[in-house]
Amino acid sequence: MPPSGGSGAAGSSNTTGGSGGVASAGVLGHPKAGTTYPARNGFTLALVEEFDAPLDLDKDPIWTWSDGGLSEGAVRFVKDAISFEGGMMKLTASKSQVPGSDSYAEPVSNAPKGFVPLKPLKSGEVRSRFNNFRYGRYEVRLKPPTSDGNFISTLFTFRTPKFEDWREIDIEITADKPNTVGTNVIYANNVGAWNASIQEFVTDFPEGPDAKALPAGFSHQNEFHEYAFEWLPDSITWFVDGVPVRVKKAGAGLKIPEKSAKVMMNLWIFATSGGFGGDPTKNVYPMTAQYDWFRYYRWNNDKDYPCANPPGCLPADDLNKSKNNPDDGLTP
């Protein structure tokens, strides 16, 4: 996150979506029984979360929570800031001073955990347990908080541990830009912190042969919208309400991430005025981001991820400092 190509290998992606439907039988997660989901040409529906019932984030085989906190952020991620209500997953940022403590989600180079200092706010981050997701289509139906202050509301892939093999693809919705969407890719190795040279962050979507501008009157705060990205070996395409808005192709700028990652959804607040996402002094707490559903379609040509029975099916490099919090049952 800030302060934190080709046409598709083997060419089978249809960026406008497929026709017909996909039954929920055999799909991981918690799909609705009997529901037919949209088909995506070149992709296979692999995971659905409807959030109709609470997830047990200590025991769920796919999802858990983060105990971290960004150095530039004002929030500490905690489990009790994540709730499930009314068919939604809700991430709530609130005023609640969280004392400094160790964090498995913030490991350091010589240890499986680091330290997050005192934070004035708490919020939530839901993440997959393992670096077990790679090429495919990632979709979410999301409504961020309503604020003219500061928030960053997200869906993204992120390879852990932090900084060692930094591979990240983002959808970042921010309070200061209600009429657009942040799209980002980060690629770096062995860096100790974010810097501007390791990312390509774009919010302006000009019309082009592969993408369209957002429609007049678009506002992410007024209602739910569907956000997605297709990650392929030679391109990344971002979508808003099913329409492609940005295409990044290999060979220009940063490399396309090639290593598996975790799926993450969070809500955080930048710590200082003038920083990323708007002015935090204008915020009124609590503020909540609502997630109606999440879907992941595996790219048909990726035979390695997601593997069927993690962690045993994953190579050691994917499991390096994989623990997310003290209660996820994983070995540090």
Side-chain angles (χ1 to χ4, degrees):
M1 296 175 230
S4 71
S7 61
S12 59
S13 171
N14 177 355
T15 58
T16 61
S19 58
V22 179
S24 61
V27 175
L28 296 175
H30 299 85
K32 289 182 179 178
T35 296
T36 299
Y37 291 94
R40 306 296 185 191
N41 292 344
F43 299 87
T44 298
L45 184 64
L47 171 64
V48 172
E49 293 300 342
E50 292 286 358
F51 305 126
D52 289 336
L55 299 179
D56 185 337
L57 294 175
D58 291 334
K59 298 179 180 179
D60 190 87
I62 296 169
W63 302 102
T64 189
W65 55 281
S66 167
D67 70 354
L70 287 76
S71 59
E72 65 272 23
V75 308
R76 180 68 183 266
F77 295 130
V78 297
K79 184 169 66 170
D80 67 10
I82 305 164
S83 61
F84 300 90
E85 180 183 0
M88 304 284 171
M89 179 177 74
K90 298 183 177 182
L91 308 180
T92 299
S94 60
K95 284 188 175 181
S96 181
Q97 194 173 83
V98 184
S101 64
D102 289 341
S103 167
Y104 286 102
E106 307 287 345
V108 293
S109 60
N110 60 351
K113 59 184 177 180
F115 184 84
V116 176
L118 181 148
K119 299 286 188 180
L121 306 171
K122 67 179 182 179
S123 189
E125 176 176 276
V126 171
R127 49 166 60 186
S128 62
R129 290 174 172 266
F130 303 107
N131 293 314
N132 193 28
F133 295 88
R134 195 170 57 173
Y135 306 128
R137 182 180 171 102
Y138 299 77
E139 302 180 341
V140 71
R141 186 170 187 264
L142 163 64
K143 185 176 183 295
T146 300
S147 174
D148 62 356
N150 182 287
F151 62 72
I152 301 95
S153 185
T154 70
L155 166 70
F156 61 111
T157 56
F158 184 96
R159 183 172 176 85
T160 61
K162 266 189 170 182
F163 310 131
E164 293 184 21
D165 298 313
W166 200 337
R167 308 289 190 271
E168 183 173 350
I169 303 171
D170 299 288
I171 294 168
E172 296 178 299
I173 301 168
T174 60
D176 61 336
K177 295 186 176 182
N179 304 121
T180 191
V181 178
T183 63
N184 195 27
V185 59
I186 296 179
Y187 191 108
N189 295 311
N190 299 312
V191 293
W194 176 89
N195 69 80
S197 70
I198 68 171
Q199 74 164 18
E200 292 175 358
F201 182 74
V202 173
T203 58
D204 297 321
F205 308 126
E207 295 280 349
D210 301 315
K212 295 183 178 297
L214 286 169
F218 173 86
S219 173
H220 57 57
Q221 295 192 32
N222 288 345
E223 58 187 343
F224 282 87
H225 291 278
E226 295 179 15
Y227 305 95
F229 58 86
E230 287 182 4
W231 171 17
L232 296 173
D234 60 0
S235 67
I236 306 167
T237 303
W238 288 263
F239 301 79
V240 177
D241 293 329
V243 177
V245 294
R246 176 190 175 189
V247 180
K248 173 182 169 54
K249 297 183 178 181
L254 294 177
K255 294 180 179 178
I256 302 292
E258 82 292 9
K259 296 188 175 185
S260 63
K262 295 181 180 181
V263 182
M264 301 189 183
M265 292 168 270
N266 67 21
L267 173 65
W268 62 285
I269 313 296
F270 205 85
T272 58
S273 297
F276 178 54
D279 183 356
T281 65
K282 296 181 179 180
N283 284 350
V284 176
Y285 297 99
M287 57 172 59
T288 299
Q290 301 179 77
Y291 292 75
D292 188 14
W293 49 254
F294 168 81
R295 300 170 188 160
Y296 167 70
Y297 292 76
R298 176 184 57 81
W299 182 50
N300 290 345
N301 287 18
D302 192 341
K303 306 303 182 183
D304 297 319
Y305 299 97
C307 68
N309 296 295
C313 59
L314 291 169
D317 186 52
D318 291 343
L319 298 173
N320 179 27
K321 299 173 187 170
S322 195
K323 193 169 177 64
N324 307 281
N325 62 67
D327 301 325
D328 64 7
L330 304 180
T331 301

